[in-house]
Amino acid sequence: MTTRRQFLHSSALAIAATALDWRALLAAGASPRQPDLLTLVRGTVGTFTGRGGTIGWHIDAKSVVVVDSQFPATAQTCLDAVNARTQSRTIDYLVNTHHHGDHTGGNGVFRPAARKILAHANVPRLQREAAERAVAAARNAPPPAPGAPPAPAPVPPDQQVYADTLFQSTWREPVGDEVMSLKYYGAAHTGGDAVITFEKANVVHAGDLIFNRRQPVIDRPGGSSIAGWATVLEGILADHPADTIYIFGHAGANFPATGNRADLLVQRDYLTALLEYVRGEIKAGKPREVIVKVTEPLKGFPDHGPLTERVLGSAFDELTA
Ligand SMILES: [Zn+2]
């Protein structure tokens, strides 16, 4: 027989349990369901596109890897999305494909969540030097025009967050049920580009070695070599099977941030054609200031859009160095 006391006790438990369920439901419903910001590429590997270089990720039951960190604001959005997927497990590796600010600017956001930040051995030096140049340039810049917003202040060298785990030529380690390998093929987009292969998924993060159908950034102070870049792309193709999917650092407005070996060949051919074109202009006796003013697309590459002074100037400087 149930006494009144027992009845009250079990009723109170039932009400408490119901209240807990209700609170849990309310909590789940109170935050509007975030759209899934993580796009699956294949297997356990996918992308996040916010602002800056495309972020790659690998998530399985035992491991979490993030490749590149964009800028602080989008890094936080990406980290939140990864944490939602992993119940905030520790990130085994944040990898930096290279030192540029649109790939490393969010390192500080990922730092507390990541066991290690992995990059090519040249990356911390290149990152520090780029920060020094940016601070000097900001110091020497003319004041903004009246009414114009001030340019954002560069992040000084001592406030940059640097990779703490470095590799020279190759690096390979299991991450959960996946195997991640990194390789440095030589100077290309910068002097420290890592190519990251998720072997089982057969997906490669190629960083800024691919600007899919848009004018590339060529960073001579950061160690770029246009000729080397074309050769590096051939090396990557030789190392990977025909059905590898590649993640690109950047893409033109109407082009995807992932693709296949045909896209790498387009990037190689673009770089080769750029050097050929500028070499011809130099041979024709044109001075630098004339050569860099051309704004038509490079012949045969209309998708890349108009040539720019920076791209042409970099090609000129490489050919005349
Ligand atoms: Zn870059």
Side-chain angles (χ1 to χ4, degrees), residues 72-151:
T74 53
Q76 189 62 57
T77 307
C78 180
L79 177 60
D80 291 346
V82 168
N83 279 339
R85 184 77 68 92
T86 65
Q87 285 78 51
S88 304
R89 278 187 281 140
T90 300
I91 295 171
D92 298 276
Y93 289 101
L94 170 66
V95 184
N96 288 149
T97 58
H98 63 296
H99 70 279
H100 284 156
D102 58 332
H103 299 256
T104 58
N107 280 4
V109 171
F110 282 99
R111 174 74 279 184
R115 204 161 51 86
K116 289 175 177 170
I117 304 181
L118 174 63
H120 181 258
N122 292 342
V123 166
R125 174 180 59 79
L126 291 169
Q127 190 176 336
R128 190 174 294 111
E129 289 171 358
E132 284 163 2
R133 282 194 303 274
V135 168
R139 202 183 296 125
N140 299 327

Side-chain angles (χ1 to χ4, degrees), residues 97-103 189-190 193 207-208 211 217 219 250:
T97 58
H98 63 296
H99 70 279
H100 284 156
D102 58 332
H103 299 256
H189 169 67
T190 68
D193 305 300
D208 280 4
F211 282 74
V217 171
D219 177 10
H250 302 276

Side-chain angles (χ1 to χ4, degrees), residues 144-230:
V155 180
D158 62 347
Q159 286 172 35
Q160 298 271 331
V161 176
Y162 298 94
D164 53 33
T165 306
L166 305 175
F167 80 100
Q168 268 306 338
S169 53
T170 59
W171 185 97
R172 189 168 185 268
E173 193 175 284
V175 281
D177 292 324
E178 178 55 275
V179 178
M180 178 168 73
S181 59
L182 280 74
K183 186 165 174 178
Y184 175 67
Y185 288 83
H189 169 67
T190 68
D193 305 300
V195 173
I196 297 99
T197 303
F198 296 97
E199 297 182 3
K200 291 184 185 172
N202 191 13
V203 176
V204 167
H205 198 313
D208 280 4
L209 295 172
I210 305 290
F211 282 74
N212 188 25
R213 275 77 168 184
R214 58 176 283 183
Q215 298 297 336
V217 171
I218 302 163
D219 177 10
R220 286 179 53 72
S224 271
S225 162
I226 303 169
W229 191 339

